[in-house]
Amino acid sequence: MFQVNENYAKLPGSYLFATIGRKVKAYQEAHPEKKIIRLGIGDVTQPLAPAIVTAMQEAAGEMGQAETFHGYPDYEGFAFLREAIVAGDYRARGVDIGMDEIFVNDGAKCDSADLGDIFSLRNKVAVCDPVYPVYVDSNALVGRSGDWLNDEGRWSNLIYMPCTAENGFAPEFPQEQPDMIYLCFPNNPTGATVTKDRLQEWVDYARKIGAVIIYDAAYEAYISEPDVPHTIYECEGAKECAIEMRSFSKNAGFTGVRLGFTVVPRELKCGDVSLNQLWLKHQEIKFNGVSYVIQKAGAAVYSPEGRAQTQEQVAYYMNNARVIREGLSAAGYTVSGGVNAPYIWLRTPKGMSSWEFFDYLLETANVVGTPGSGFGPHGEGYLRLTAFGSYENTLAAIERIKKL
Amino acid sequence: MFQVNENYAKLPGSYLFATIGRKVKAYQEAHPEKKIIRLGIGDVTQPLAPAIVTAMQEAAGEMGQAETFHGYPDYEGFAFLREAIVAGDYRARGVDIGMDEIFVNDGAKCDSADLGDIFSLRNKVAVCDPVYPVYVDSNALVGRSGDWLNDEGRWSNLIYMPCTAENGFAPEFPQEQPDMIYLCFPNNPTGATVTKDRLQEWVDYARKIGAVIIYDAAYEAYISEPDVPHTIYECEGAKECAIEMRSFSKNAGFTGVRLGFTVVPRELKCGDVSLNQLWLKHQEIKFNGVSYVIQKAGAAVYSPEGRAQTQEQVAYYMNNARVIREGLSAAGYTVSGGVNAPYIWLRTPKGMSSWEFFDYLLETANVVGTPGSGFGPHGEGYLRLTAFGSYENTLAAIERIKKL
């Protein structure tokens, strides 16, 4: 008799955003007349830039002609896209990354979850707390997170690195020694960042203890202040200890297009074993590349027109972030984030729990946030708001919250 | 110090098709004047049908307008595509499958590999021999296949079900009892099929011993004979024991588009645990849906125009299959397959091994096949040819082989 993976039964509940989706749907069905404003899930609302639409339409046309048809894509991604990435995201910042270190994927979430596949199940994992749930849940599914301790609201075998108001929502080195460290800057969910000097300390720490850093830079495009690193490879020695994940979802509005990439440097090794070669093997066995049409859309992001148009979108969302930050501050709320990131991290008022405040906002203001406790124990007492709504909706949502 | 997944080191070599790609590339670079004809990897060559191109271009246009923009897709796939699948692939054949049993993916290969995630590592796996390598390798990466026994050319913990000329390349029930059974009909690589009665026996067997069947029906569109089942759910009780995987790669030329789907029936349970719900949880945690534009392309396959145009492509490839089968038979080769499948399974001549014949064909006829031994020990002594080339190339390749 077949058995199922016993780790699924350990998961405490549904995936956070799926739970929110179901709650909002239930509320909307019960109150069809209410106009709900969603500042919860980090989904963009602006349409794709014209240069990207044109590129996709042309690519679709090419797929309809025998001379320009493309079959199975390369496992690593088409050369034209990897070249654009190397030039636009790395060489332009003085960082030397080779084409064969880039692995194109169908959205950073998949690789966030799948990168664990190439590591030993015995590795000890450290995560920020609060944290993007995919890192935790994907490790839980293979048993690496240990058991769920319901009373404590945490996994038994994870190292949690608290990110609190006291440390500016940037973690300190953990007391217990980790083998794998997930870091995300600019941070989801808190919107916090670290300086280049501080990130260099993390790289030095990882090299000293022999840990690998899995660095999520999905929100890099939102960095507005100097001295905030755009890639971990700005730090010396990072190619020997860090994998970097990037996404087109937030810098170019690709949440519904599905494109991202992962950098696995050649210098990153475990003894004689090259992690770059392990990941290539993983992709050859378990993946079959990304649609030609979608990769052409990605390349268009790096064209002069695409760049100008997508930067305009980022500026639009960052104006929303300012509206949220300033509006809620003026109304007496305690907020952080929203300067180098599209996320605002909001202290719940009157001692409400995260889910109490979520329900309260949904029911009284018809505004959807994301409960901070869904991101980890130290997220309790916070709510995440995103700047990805329309300007009009963002303004309306803040006005509604102000009136509560 | 972090460690890597020790199962990677057990893999005997590179992924089969990656190895072939490197061999062909090396030969072409050494002989730039030679015109190589590729009948190896199962990649299509006909351009996308006009109805599909138009659907993609329209969908890309919609993504460029605020009113019709789509952000994160549903984890399970858009309703419009799942409705088309339910109606076109199941209801039309009298099979009752619900929309919530369909999970859209970015190509069947990913799910072929990932479905193992929801099962216990202690399950014993049975595979056909020869077999599509992804089933074996993806189980090997998590340790379920055991150790690679190099002298025997097989994994220590897999149950191999020989598919030979004697049994018409359709496996018999294994002597050792399996928990998970991978079946693929029409078969890759042999092109063999089973009758509906025989598939019913497999379903009955699986239910009797409490095994789950993972059924790969990627080549369903190539079935030309009556009494060959188009879906395993034509068999009674299959919804209680079988997951079915389907692909758009071969019926609509989507190898470069990336779209497929998996059916996980509600009735499929392990004790109280619904595998449908486990797989939904898996997708929520590890996946973020398929591009809107690509799902619109998939829906166009079910439109009257799309259906007519793609059926024409299938007929085109099946004519190639006939050319290969009849041409090689006439030249004295022993061939099978190619009637209900785009694959021809060719006995190597003069006692050559599969790789010897591969090298011989590449070097003397500049034709690329796939060595049967790459699909498992009982593939030794065979070569797989595919019907996915152009008619002209297929004809030329057979002429070259005839002259050897």
mmCIF file of all heavy atoms in Angstrom, chain B residues 7-35:
data_model
loop_
_atom_site.group_PDB
_atom_site.id
_atom_site.type_symbol
_atom_site.label_atom_id
_atom_site.label_comp_id
_atom_site.label_asym_id
_atom_site.label_seq_id
_atom_site.Cartn_x
_atom_site.Cartn_y
_atom_site.Cartn_z
ATOM 1 N N ASN B 7 22.525 12.230 -3.124
ATOM 2 C CA ASN B 7 21.991 11.405 -4.216
ATOM 3 C C ASN B 7 22.465 11.852 -5.595
ATOM 4 O O ASN B 7 22.457 11.072 -6.540
ATOM 5 C CB ASN B 7 20.459 11.407 -4.171
ATOM 6 C CG ASN B 7 19.933 10.721 -2.922
ATOM 7 O OD1 ASN B 7 20.304 9.591 -2.628
ATOM 8 N ND2 ASN B 7 19.107 11.420 -2.162
ATOM 9 N N TYR B 8 22.873 13.142 -5.707
ATOM 10 C CA TYR B 8 23.362 13.615 -7.005
ATOM 11 C C TYR B 8 24.591 12.845 -7.445
ATOM 12 O O TYR B 8 24.779 12.561 -8.630
ATOM 13 C CB TYR B 8 23.664 15.116 -6.966
ATOM 14 C CG TYR B 8 22.434 15.947 -7.153
ATOM 15 C CD1 TYR B 8 21.551 16.169 -6.103
ATOM 16 C CD2 TYR B 8 22.123 16.476 -8.399
ATOM 17 C CE1 TYR B 8 20.404 16.913 -6.274
ATOM 18 C CE2 TYR B 8 20.973 17.226 -8.586
ATOM 19 C CZ TYR B 8 20.117 17.439 -7.516
ATOM 20 O OH TYR B 8 18.982 18.157 -7.710
ATOM 21 N N ALA B 9 25.433 12.505 -6.462
ATOM 22 C CA ALA B 9 26.673 11.811 -6.800
ATOM 23 C C ALA B 9 26.416 10.398 -7.290
ATOM 24 O O ALA B 9 27.270 9.777 -7.922
ATOM 25 C CB ALA B 9 27.595 11.786 -5.586
ATOM 26 N N LYS B 10 25.217 9.875 -7.004
ATOM 27 C CA LYS B 10 24.902 8.504 -7.436
ATOM 28 C C LYS B 10 24.512 8.434 -8.906
ATOM 29 O O LYS B 10 24.539 7.357 -9.500
ATOM 30 C CB LYS B 10 23.731 7.963 -6.606
ATOM 31 C CG LYS B 10 24.017 7.829 -5.116
ATOM 32 C CD LYS B 10 22.777 7.293 -4.412
ATOM 33 C CE LYS B 10 22.965 7.272 -2.900
ATOM 34 N NZ LYS B 10 21.693 6.953 -2.224
ATOM 35 N N LEU B 11 24.082 9.568 -9.477
ATOM 36 C CA LEU B 11 23.607 9.546 -10.868
ATOM 37 C C LEU B 11 24.745 9.101 -11.786
ATOM 38 O O LEU B 11 25.852 9.616 -11.708
ATOM 39 C CB LEU B 11 23.124 10.934 -11.298
ATOM 40 C CG LEU B 11 21.852 11.440 -10.615
ATOM 41 C CD1 LEU B 11 21.636 12.912 -10.948
ATOM 42 C CD2 LEU B 11 20.638 10.627 -11.055
ATOM 43 N N PRO B 12 24.474 8.133 -12.658
ATOM 44 C CA PRO B 12 25.559 7.560 -13.452
ATOM 45 C C PRO B 12 26.118 8.504 -14.503
ATOM 46 O O PRO B 12 27.244 8.346 -14.936
ATOM 47 C CB PRO B 12 24.900 6.347 -14.114
ATOM 48 C CG PRO B 12 23.438 6.637 -14.100
ATOM 49 C CD PRO B 12 23.186 7.473 -12.892
ATOM 50 N N GLY B 13 25.363 9.468 -14.964
ATOM 51 C CA GLY B 13 25.874 10.357 -15.999
ATOM 52 C C GLY B 13 24.958 11.534 -16.130
ATOM 53 O O GLY B 13 24.105 11.759 -15.288
ATOM 54 N N SER B 14 25.118 12.265 -17.208
ATOM 55 C CA SER B 14 24.247 13.401 -17.439
ATOM 56 C C SER B 14 22.877 12.917 -17.871
ATOM 57 O O SER B 14 22.697 11.769 -18.279
ATOM 58 C CB SER B 14 24.817 14.287 -18.536
ATOM 59 O OG SER B 14 25.930 14.965 -18.061
ATOM 60 N N TYR B 15 21.927 13.810 -17.799
ATOM 61 C CA TYR B 15 20.598 13.553 -18.323
ATOM 62 C C TYR B 15 20.740 13.165 -19.797
ATOM 63 O O TYR B 15 21.447 13.810 -20.565
ATOM 64 C CB TYR B 15 19.755 14.810 -18.154
ATOM 65 C CG TYR B 15 18.353 14.683 -18.677
ATOM 66 C CD1 TYR B 15 17.483 13.720 -18.178
ATOM 67 C CD2 TYR B 15 17.892 15.535 -19.669
ATOM 68 C CE1 TYR B 15 16.203 13.597 -18.654
ATOM 69 C CE2 TYR B 15 16.600 15.423 -20.158
ATOM 70 C CZ TYR B 15 15.759 14.447 -19.648
ATOM 71 O OH TYR B 15 14.492 14.334 -20.142
ATOM 72 N N LEU B 16 20.066 12.082 -20.183
ATOM 73 C CA LEU B 16 20.241 11.481 -21.505
ATOM 74 C C LEU B 16 20.250 12.499 -22.644
ATOM 75 O O LEU B 16 21.170 12.534 -23.461
ATOM 76 C CB LEU B 16 19.132 10.443 -21.719
ATOM 77 C CG LEU B 16 19.047 9.788 -23.101
ATOM 78 C CD1 LEU B 16 20.290 8.986 -23.407
ATOM 79 C CD2 LEU B 16 17.801 8.891 -23.175
ATOM 80 N N PHE B 17 19.214 13.366 -22.690
ATOM 81 C CA PHE B 17 19.090 14.252 -23.846
ATOM 82 C C PHE B 17 20.128 15.363 -23.822
ATOM 83 O O PHE B 17 20.525 15.878 -24.861
ATOM 84 C CB PHE B 17 17.666 14.811 -23.939
ATOM 85 C CG PHE B 17 16.670 13.719 -24.186
ATOM 86 C CD1 PHE B 17 15.777 13.325 -23.209
ATOM 87 C CD2 PHE B 17 16.664 13.050 -25.397
ATOM 88 C CE1 PHE B 17 14.872 12.303 -23.436
ATOM 89 C CE2 PHE B 17 15.767 12.018 -25.636
ATOM 90 C CZ PHE B 17 14.862 11.638 -24.643
ATOM 91 N N ALA B 18 20.604 15.698 -22.618
ATOM 92 C CA ALA B 18 21.688 16.667 -22.530
ATOM 93 C C ALA B 18 22.973 16.046 -23.077
ATOM 94 O O ALA B 18 23.746 16.696 -23.790
ATOM 95 C CB ALA B 18 21.856 17.115 -21.085
ATOM 96 N N THR B 19 23.201 14.783 -22.783
ATOM 97 C CA THR B 19 24.381 14.076 -23.298
ATOM 98 C C THR B 19 24.349 14.016 -24.818
ATOM 99 O O THR B 19 25.350 14.283 -25.495
ATOM 100 C CB THR B 19 24.418 12.631 -22.749
ATOM 101 O OG1 THR B 19 24.328 12.690 -21.337
ATOM 102 C CG2 THR B 19 25.696 11.921 -23.159
ATOM 103 N N ILE B 20 23.190 13.660 -25.363
ATOM 104 C CA ILE B 20 23.052 13.595 -26.819
ATOM 105 C C ILE B 20 23.324 14.973 -27.424
ATOM 106 O O ILE B 20 24.062 15.103 -28.399
ATOM 107 C CB ILE B 20 21.638 13.104 -27.207
ATOM 108 C CG1 ILE B 20 21.470 11.646 -26.777
ATOM 109 C CG2 ILE B 20 21.384 13.275 -28.701
ATOM 110 C CD1 ILE B 20 20.055 11.114 -26.919
ATOM 111 N N GLY B 21 22.749 16.002 -26.804
ATOM 112 C CA GLY B 21 22.946 17.364 -27.302
ATOM 113 C C GLY B 21 24.426 17.715 -27.374
ATOM 114 O O GLY B 21 24.897 18.280 -28.366
ATOM 115 N N ARG B 22 25.159 17.360 -26.328
ATOM 116 C CA ARG B 22 26.596 17.684 -26.308
ATOM 117 C C ARG B 22 27.355 16.890 -27.370
ATOM 118 O O ARG B 22 28.237 17.416 -28.043
ATOM 119 C CB ARG B 22 27.161 17.412 -24.909
ATOM 120 C CG ARG B 22 26.819 18.521 -23.899
ATOM 121 C CD ARG B 22 27.586 18.367 -22.597
ATOM 122 N NE ARG B 22 27.010 17.343 -21.725
ATOM 123 C CZ ARG B 22 26.106 17.599 -20.770
ATOM 124 N NH1 ARG B 22 25.680 18.834 -20.571
ATOM 125 N NH2 ARG B 22 25.628 16.624 -20.026
ATOM 126 N N LYS B 23 26.995 15.611 -27.567
ATOM 127 C CA LYS B 23 27.662 14.781 -28.583
ATOM 128 C C LYS B 23 27.434 15.344 -29.984
ATOM 129 O O LYS B 23 28.355 15.415 -30.801
ATOM 130 C CB LYS B 23 27.116 13.342 -28.531
ATOM 131 C CG LYS B 23 27.839 12.438 -27.556
ATOM 132 C CD LYS B 23 27.593 10.951 -27.936
ATOM 133 C CE LYS B 23 28.449 10.014 -27.100
ATOM 134 N NZ LYS B 23 29.165 9.013 -27.903
ATOM 135 N N VAL B 24 26.183 15.713 -30.253
ATOM 136 C CA VAL B 24 25.842 16.222 -31.584
ATOM 137 C C VAL B 24 26.543 17.554 -31.831
ATOM 138 O O VAL B 24 27.081 17.803 -32.913
ATOM 139 C CB VAL B 24 24.309 16.369 -31.735
ATOM 140 C CG1 VAL B 24 23.950 17.047 -33.045
ATOM 141 C CG2 VAL B 24 23.641 14.998 -31.629
ATOM 142 N N LYS B 25 26.568 18.403 -30.787
ATOM 143 C CA LYS B 25 27.222 19.699 -30.907
ATOM 144 C C LYS B 25 28.711 19.524 -31.216
ATOM 145 O O LYS B 25 29.262 20.204 -32.091
ATOM 146 C CB LYS B 25 27.036 20.474 -29.593
ATOM 147 C CG LYS B 25 27.312 21.959 -29.690
ATOM 148 C CD LYS B 25 27.005 22.655 -28.370
ATOM 149 C CE LYS B 25 27.553 24.073 -28.392
ATOM 150 N NZ LYS B 25 27.609 24.673 -27.066
ATOM 151 N N ALA B 26 29.331 18.592 -30.523
ATOM 152 C CA ALA B 26 30.761 18.349 -30.739
ATOM 153 C C ALA B 26 31.006 17.858 -32.168
ATOM 154 O O ALA B 26 31.947 18.296 -32.842
ATOM 155 C CB ALA B 26 31.281 17.330 -29.727
ATOM 156 N N TYR B 27 30.138 16.946 -32.653
ATOM 157 C CA TYR B 27 30.313 16.439 -34.013
ATOM 158 C C TYR B 27 30.125 17.560 -35.033
ATOM 159 O O TYR B 27 30.909 17.695 -35.981
ATOM 160 C CB TYR B 27 29.327 15.294 -34.292
ATOM 161 C CG TYR B 27 29.478 14.749 -35.688
ATOM 162 C CD1 TYR B 27 30.453 13.794 -35.988
ATOM 163 C CD2 TYR B 27 28.678 15.212 -36.732
ATOM 164 C CE1 TYR B 27 30.630 13.316 -37.275
ATOM 165 C CE2 TYR B 27 28.844 14.743 -38.023
ATOM 166 C CZ TYR B 27 29.818 13.799 -38.293
ATOM 167 O OH TYR B 27 29.991 13.346 -39.575
ATOM 168 N N GLN B 28 29.084 18.386 -34.796
ATOM 169 C CA GLN B 28 28.811 19.479 -35.748
ATOM 170 C C GLN B 28 29.960 20.479 -35.785
ATOM 171 O O GLN B 28 30.329 20.964 -36.853
ATOM 172 C CB GLN B 28 27.509 20.185 -35.362
ATOM 173 C CG GLN B 28 27.083 21.276 -36.339
ATOM 174 C CD GLN B 28 26.494 20.714 -37.640
ATOM 175 O OE1 GLN B 28 25.321 20.418 -37.718
ATOM 176 N NE2 GLN B 28 27.325 20.567 -38.660
ATOM 177 N N GLU B 29 30.533 20.776 -34.626
ATOM 178 C CA GLU B 29 31.651 21.726 -34.596
ATOM 179 C C GLU B 29 32.878 21.163 -35.304
ATOM 180 O O GLU B 29 33.621 21.889 -35.953
ATOM 181 C CB GLU B 29 31.969 22.102 -33.136
ATOM 182 C CG GLU B 29 30.978 23.146 -32.597
ATOM 183 C CD GLU B 29 31.088 23.387 -31.099
ATOM 184 O OE1 GLU B 29 32.008 22.822 -30.461
ATOM 185 O OE2 GLU B 29 30.243 24.136 -30.567
ATOM 186 N N ALA B 30 33.048 19.847 -35.209
ATOM 187 C CA ALA B 30 34.192 19.216 -35.884
ATOM 188 C C ALA B 30 33.931 19.079 -37.390
ATOM 189 O O ALA B 30 34.870 19.021 -38.184
ATOM 190 C CB ALA B 30 34.463 17.850 -35.267
ATOM 191 N N HIS B 31 32.654 19.024 -37.786
ATOM 192 C CA HIS B 31 32.284 18.856 -39.199
ATOM 193 C C HIS B 31 31.215 19.876 -39.570
ATOM 194 O O HIS B 31 30.059 19.511 -39.810
ATOM 195 C CB HIS B 31 31.763 17.433 -39.453
ATOM 196 C CG HIS B 31 32.703 16.358 -39.025
ATOM 197 N ND1 HIS B 31 32.731 15.862 -37.741
ATOM 198 C CD2 HIS B 31 33.685 15.705 -39.694
ATOM 199 C CE1 HIS B 31 33.678 14.936 -37.647
ATOM 200 N NE2 HIS B 31 34.285 14.823 -38.818
ATOM 201 N N PRO B 32 31.617 21.144 -39.640
ATOM 202 C CA PRO B 32 30.613 22.199 -39.870
ATOM 203 C C PRO B 32 29.891 22.065 -41.208
ATOM 204 O O PRO B 32 28.791 22.589 -41.365
ATOM 205 C CB PRO B 32 31.431 23.493 -39.800
ATOM 206 C CG PRO B 32 32.857 23.092 -39.925
ATOM 207 C CD PRO B 32 32.966 21.683 -39.460
ATOM 208 N N GLU B 33 30.468 21.328 -42.159
ATOM 209 C CA GLU B 33 29.861 21.216 -43.486
ATOM 210 C C GLU B 33 28.735 20.179 -43.526
ATOM 211 O O GLU B 33 27.949 20.150 -44.478
ATOM 212 C CB GLU B 33 30.950 20.890 -44.526
ATOM 213 C CG GLU B 33 31.423 19.437 -44.568
ATOM 214 C CD GLU B 33 32.287 19.029 -43.365
ATOM 215 O OE1 GLU B 33 32.544 19.892 -42.502
ATOM 216 O OE2 GLU B 33 32.674 17.854 -43.279
ATOM 217 N N LYS B 34 28.642 19.322 -42.523
ATOM 218 C CA LYS B 34 27.654 18.241 -42.548
ATOM 219 C C LYS B 34 26.269 18.753 -42.151
ATOM 220 O O LYS B 34 26.133 19.548 -41.215
ATOM 221 C CB LYS B 34 28.055 17.136 -41.558
ATOM 222 C CG LYS B 34 29.403 16.494 -41.854
ATOM 223 C CD LYS B 34 29.333 15.567 -43.048
ATOM 224 C CE LYS B 34 30.643 14.785 -43.171
ATOM 225 N NZ LYS B 34 30.698 13.992 -44.423
ATOM 226 N N LYS B 35 25.266 18.274 -42.856
ATOM 227 C CA LYS B 35 23.896 18.632 -42.532
ATOM 228 C C LYS B 35 23.285 17.511 -41.681
ATOM 229 O O LYS B 35 22.883 16.472 -42.197
ATOM 230 C CB LYS B 35 23.085 18.832 -43.819
ATOM 231 C CG LYS B 35 21.695 19.380 -43.558
ATOM 232 C CD LYS B 35 20.938 19.656 -44.849
ATOM 233 C CE LYS B 35 19.482 19.986 -44.583
ATOM 234 N NZ LYS B 35 18.685 18.842 -44.098
#
